């Protein structure tokens, strides 16, 4: 029994180390992008993601405001709002969990400082509570990579792991979509038991769909 526990601990430590190394590599590639390439990618991402049926048919979309060199979401947020969608944006809580508020346009965003983190642009409207995400028809997830099975590699902070756990507890099944750069769709990412597959990934050049864990990629839009 002790041997099995030791083996499991060693395997988990190896996966954690593998994830950390892959995150460093992907973040370095993002930092190397020029401001112009970031702007071009954001425009293209807004076009490809806006065409997703999961977003076109959604009344409420939980999204996020991109920061730094993340794939830009500002144009996509405005496109969703212009299309009549109710867009929820996160408010980071002290324990790294997420509350939510409605996006009311670019002027409604406020730069908020959080201990140990860069300032985040957050909605200034009234908080709706962490459970508000369970009413979304689609959830846009940040990430660093997704693999051929639809498994997502996040930044490692745990905020969206909590969101996904909350959705599971509530029996909610919104469409989960990751927003990435083209080269961040990879063959495989290290997987842990708490990781969840996503339905699709949107990149500047198009969309790839997944049938779920173990499923094959769907057609690229």
């Amino acid at each position: 029994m002790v041997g099995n526990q030791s083996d499991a601990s060693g395997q988990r430590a190896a996966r954690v180390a593998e994830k950390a190394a892959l995150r460093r590599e992907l973040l370095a590639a993002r930092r190397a992008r020029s401001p112009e390439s970031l702007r071009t990618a954001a425009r293209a991402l807004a076009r490809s993601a806006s065409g997703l049926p999961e977003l076109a048919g959604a009344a409420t979309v939980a999204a996020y405001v991109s920061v730094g060199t993340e794939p830009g979401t500002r144009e996509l947020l405005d496109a969703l709002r212009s299309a009549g969608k109710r867009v929820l944006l996160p408010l980071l809580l002290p324990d790294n969990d997420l509350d939510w508020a409605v996006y009311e346009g670019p002027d409604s965003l406020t730069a908020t400082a959080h201990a140990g983190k860069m300032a985040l642009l957050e909605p200034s409207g009234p908080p709706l509570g962490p459970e508000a995400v369970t009413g979304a028809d689609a959830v846009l997830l940040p990430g660093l990579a997704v693999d051929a099975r639809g498994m997502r590699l996040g930044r490692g902070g745990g905020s969206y792991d909590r969101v996904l756990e909350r959705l599971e507890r509530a029996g909610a099944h919104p469409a989960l979509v990751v927003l990435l750069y083209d080269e961040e769709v990879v063959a495989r990412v290290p997987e842990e038991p708490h990781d969840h597959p996503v339905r699709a990934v949107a990149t500047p050049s198009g969309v790839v769909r997944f049938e779920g864990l173990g499923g094959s990629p769907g057609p690229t839009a």
Side-chain angles (χ1 to χ4, degrees), residues 95-190:
D95 64 354
N96 266 5
D97 205 348
L98 298 178
D99 202 334
W100 301 86
V102 175
Y103 176 53
E104 300 290 357
D107 293 339
S108 70
L109 297 176
T110 302
T112 306
H114 294 276
K117 302 179 185 296
M118 70 174 67
L120 302 177
L121 286 174
E122 297 183 335
S124 56
L128 303 175
E131 300 297 326
V133 70
T134 64
D137 303 298
V139 178
L140 301 182
L141 301 169
L144 290 173
V146 71
D147 70 15
R149 304 164 301 156
M151 299 304 295
R152 164 185 163 269
L153 177 69
R155 295 287 294 258
S159 296
Y160 278 89
D161 289 334
R162 297 192 192 190
V163 169
L164 296 172
E165 289 167 4
R166 182 167 288 119
L167 293 171
E168 187 172 26
R169 287 197 307 270
H173 301 286
L176 303 177
V177 180
V178 185
L179 305 178
L180 297 174
Y181 295 111
D182 296 323
E183 64 274 16
E184 294 170 345
V185 182
V186 300
R188 195 172 185 89
V189 299

Side-chain angles (χ1 to χ4, degrees), residues 12 15-16 18-24 26-27 30 70 92 95-97 117 142-145 152-162 164 190 192 194-195:
R12 184 180 186 282
R15 286 193 297 269
V16 169
E18 189 179 357
K19 280 187 171 183
L22 184 54
R23 286 186 181 110
R24 287 193 296 271
L26 293 164
L27 287 169
R30 285 187 175 183
E70 285 185 325
L92 185 65
D95 64 354
N96 266 5
D97 205 348
K117 302 179 185 296
L144 290 173
R152 164 185 163 269
L153 177 69
R155 295 287 294 258
S159 296
Y160 278 89
D161 289 334
R162 297 192 192 190
L164 296 172
E192 295 186 75
H194 63 264
D195 291 330

Side-chain angles (χ1 to χ4, degrees), residues 22-126:
L22 184 54
R23 286 186 181 110
R24 287 193 296 271
E25 178 184 337
L26 293 164
L27 287 169
R30 285 187 175 183
R31 287 193 296 270
R33 287 181 169 271
S34 69
E36 180 55 34
S37 74
L38 294 173
R39 289 190 291 270
T40 300
R43 288 192 295 269
L45 181 62
R47 288 193 297 270
S48 61
S50 295
L52 277 165
E54 290 87 349
L55 297 187
T60 298
V61 178
Y64 63 96
V65 183
S66 55
V67 296
T69 56
E70 285 185 325
T73 64
R74 299 286 293 274
E75 291 189 39
L76 177 57
L77 297 179
D78 290 333
L80 291 170
R81 186 166 177 265
S82 295
K85 313 299 178 186
R86 180 173 179 257
V87 179
L88 302 180
L89 294 179
L91 299 157
L92 185 65
L93 299 173
D95 64 354
N96 266 5
D97 205 348
L98 298 178
D99 202 334
W100 301 86
V102 175
Y103 176 53
E104 300 290 357
D107 293 339
S108 70
L109 297 176
T110 302
T112 306
H114 294 276
K117 302 179 185 296
M118 70 174 67
L120 302 177
L121 286 174
E122 297 183 335
S124 56

